[in-house]
Amino acid sequence: MRLGNDNIAVLLLGSGLQGVSVAYSLYKIDCEVYVYSSDFAFKHCRWIRELTLFDLTVGELCRYIKDKRIDLIIPMSDKHAIWLSQNKYDIQTLIKVKCAIPDYDTVAIASSKSDLMELCEVNQLPVPRTRKVTLHNILSASSFVGFPALIKPDHSVGARGVTKISNLDDLKKKLQLIIQKYGSCSLQEWIDNREFYFNVMLYRYADGSFSPTVIIKITRFYPLGGGSSCFCKTTKEPILEDICKKILNLLDWNGFADVDVLYDKEEHQFKVIEINPRVPASIRSADIAGVNFPQIIICDLLGIPCKPMDYKVGMYLRYFGLDFMWFLKSKNRFKVKPSWFKFFGDQLFYQDLYRSNIKFSLCLLGSNVLKLFR
């Protein structure tokens, strides 16, 4: 689908693999893509018009928007999503542009792991047993949550600071250091499912309706104890979809949401662990399954009609650079199904390899492999 004769200019705040996927989705609908990043690999990407970097202040951003006639800003990372939500009102007041991020009051609840878990618990939505933990309530928090458990900073990027603990002595030893480094923390039950987890992507409109929901089942991830997707498959899980929609309705969410979900095999229940207001690295799985979320975002915020999109299950997405690390470390390297050695197929796509842009793909692959060994 093309959006019209006038090309829409979109600025991506940040890059990473999600930046690659979003840039490609925008390129397919004739958008002009600008990327705020220092990632050298993007210099070889023919899907973007310009790679830029400047002091990220409201003033500098507004000057760049005016100069390049940017219509829309989409954040690619946690830190850029939070910054944009905090400054959204000022930016949209000073200059004609749309920020693809919910208001900060909403983002603040979602980005605080303890606040989100409390909201879900009060409304009887399934989440892991969780309690705010301090040096003064260790006994009561650990008594409710049990062991093993995770110490989780309320505000951190990715899995930074998340620490598994086995007993009370372990908790006492590690909690103070984590609080000193990351601030307030929660104690959360450890759900032992190293076989798979789920990621749910959906867009909630201001009127409370939803876009098609994309759910991926992630069956290979790195690090092995719990990390980013190496290999996933699009699927349908009506119960899980309903849970995620109920949470976004409670938050009165407006925009794109990325929800991480574990499956508790002992209790036979999905348990939501996190909501991210920015697109995930695996957003390409939605694109190959027929759902172009960047297009949905543009159409909603700029008031452009959006044609219905048909979601396809059974599409596979592989992050080859990370999957190679999985192969080196996993004891299941020769047992996994589909086979690790299946490299081609009509329903198999790559997160870091694009046949239409080989030079960029090689640069991207090299850049990501180097990051893994740092």
Side-chain angles (χ1 to χ4, degrees):
M1 173 185 173
R2 306 295 180 180
L3 294 182
N5 295 325
D6 296 329
N7 287 352
I8 293 167
V10 181
L11 174 63
L12 307 185
L13 278 186
S15 54
L17 280 176
Q18 54 266 53
V20 177
S21 298
V22 171
Y24 181 62
S25 295
L26 293 170
Y27 171 80
K28 291 195 300 181
I29 53 174
D30 276 351
C31 289
E32 293 180 355
V33 183
Y34 298 80
V35 179
Y36 173 85
S37 173
S38 59
D39 193 333
F40 78 92
F42 274 77
K43 294 180 181 179
H44 303 283
C45 181
R46 65 186 182 87
W47 307 321
I48 70 168
R49 188 178 183 89
E50 182 176 281
L51 183 69
T52 186
L53 197 64
F54 48 82
D55 291 335
L56 191 56
T57 64
V58 170
E60 288 297 316
L61 179 62
C62 287
R63 276 189 279 274
Y64 188 80
I65 291 168
K66 183 177 180 181
D67 181 50
K68 302 298 179 181
R69 297 183 178 180
I70 302 295
D71 298 294
L72 183 74
I73 310 170
I74 306 177
M76 294 293 106
S77 69
D78 291 326
K79 68 175 184 179
H80 288 122
I82 291 171
W83 183 89
L84 190 63
S85 67
Q86 289 173 329
N87 294 283
K88 174 181 175 179
Y89 177 79
D90 290 341
I91 294 168
Q92 293 186 160
T93 300
L94 289 169
I95 197 163
K96 186 179 178 181
V97 72
K98 292 293 185 181
C99 300
I101 190 76
D103 293 337
Y104 181 68
D105 289 346
T106 303
V107 172
I109 296 173
S111 62
S112 170
K113 296 177 178 66
S114 61
D115 289 346
L116 178 63
M117 296 299 101
E118 184 177 344
L119 176 72
C120 292
E121 184 180 326
V122 167
N123 288 278
Q124 299 182 318
L125 292 168
V127 292
R129 291 191 303 277
T130 307
R131 282 293 180 269
K132 290 184 179 181
V133 63
T134 69
L135 298 174
H136 305 293
N137 75 335
I138 284 179
L139 288 176
S140 60
S142 60
S143 177
F144 175 78
V145 173
F147 295 104
L150 295 173
I151 302 173
K152 300 184 78 171
D154 285 333
H155 302 281
S156 67
V157 178
R160 291 178 186 173
V162 177
T163 305
K164 184 181 179 183
I165 45 108
S166 303
N167 51 53
L168 187 58
D169 288 338
D170 201 15
L171 175 58
K172 290 178 179 178
K173 288 177 184 177
K174 295 175 180 176
L175 180 61
Q176 185 171 0
L177 292 174
I178 296 172
I179 289 176
Q180 287 175 348
K181 187 170 183 179
Y182 296 99
S184 63
C185 292
S186 297
L187 190 67
Q188 188 172 95
E189 73 168 307
W190 165 259
I191 297 175
D192 189 9
N193 185 351
R194 305 183 189 187
E195 297 175 18
F196 58 86
Y197 68 95
F198 294 90
N199 180 255
V200 183
M201 291 171 267
L202 63 171
Y203 191 93
R204 185 180 184 272
Y205 296 96
D207 64 2
S209 61
F210 287 87
S211 71
T213 301
V214 174
I215 301 178
I216 56 173
K217 184 177 183 180
I218 298 164
T219 53
R220 297 204 294 264
F221 40 88
Y222 187 85
L224 301 181
S228 299
S229 172
C230 308
F231 190 85
C232 65
K233 176 185 178 181
T234 60
T235 186
K236 278 187 178 291
E237 293 288 349
I239 294 174
L240 177 53
E241 180 178 348
D242 185 57
I243 291 168
C244 293
K245 287 182 176 179
K246 285 180 178 177
I247 295 174
L248 295 187
N249 285 334
L250 283 172
L251 289 166
D252 195 22
W253 193 273
N254 184 196
F256 178 87
D258 163 52
V259 187
D260 290 331
V261 184
L262 297 177
Y263 184 75
D264 189 326
K265 293 190 292 184
E266 292 186 2
E267 298 183 13
H268 305 288
Q269 190 176 45
F270 296 108
K271 292 188 176 180
V272 172
I273 58 170
E274 192 170 45
I275 297 178
N276 298 301
R278 47 86 185 139
V279 297
S282 53
I283 192 172
R284 179 153 164 75
S285 60
D287 187 69
I288 64 175
V291 181
N292 187 331
F293 277 114
Q295 181 178 326
I296 290 172
I297 293 169
I298 287 175
C299 289
D300 181 40
L301 295 183
L302 300 185
I304 301 170
C306 189
K307 292 182 179 180
M309 298 180 185
D310 295 323
Y311 173 53
K312 295 178 285 187
V313 300
M315 306 300 291
Y316 294 90
L317 183 69
R318 187 179 196 179
Y319 177 3
F320 187 75
L322 208 59
D323 209 21
F324 180 71
M325 297 299 295
W326 179 92
F327 180 83
L328 295 179
K329 297 289 185 178
S330 177
K331 295 178 181 179
N332 295 320
R333 62 179 68 91
F334 297 114
K335 302 175 184 177
V336 70
K337 292 181 180 180
S339 168
W340 192 91
F341 297 96
K342 179 179 174 61
F343 298 113
F344 304 101
D346 292 340
Q347 296 173 311
L348 175 61
F349 293 80
Y350 286 83
Q351 203 167 324
D352 49 349
L353 297 172
Y354 290 79
R355 284 176 290 183
S356 60
N357 205 340
I358 297 298
K359 183 179 179 180
F360 171 60
S361 295
L362 292 174
C363 290
L364 186 67
L365 182 61
S367 174
N368 288 326
V369 169
L370 287 174
K371 288 176 185 177
L372 292 173
F373 285 100
R374 284 175 187 167

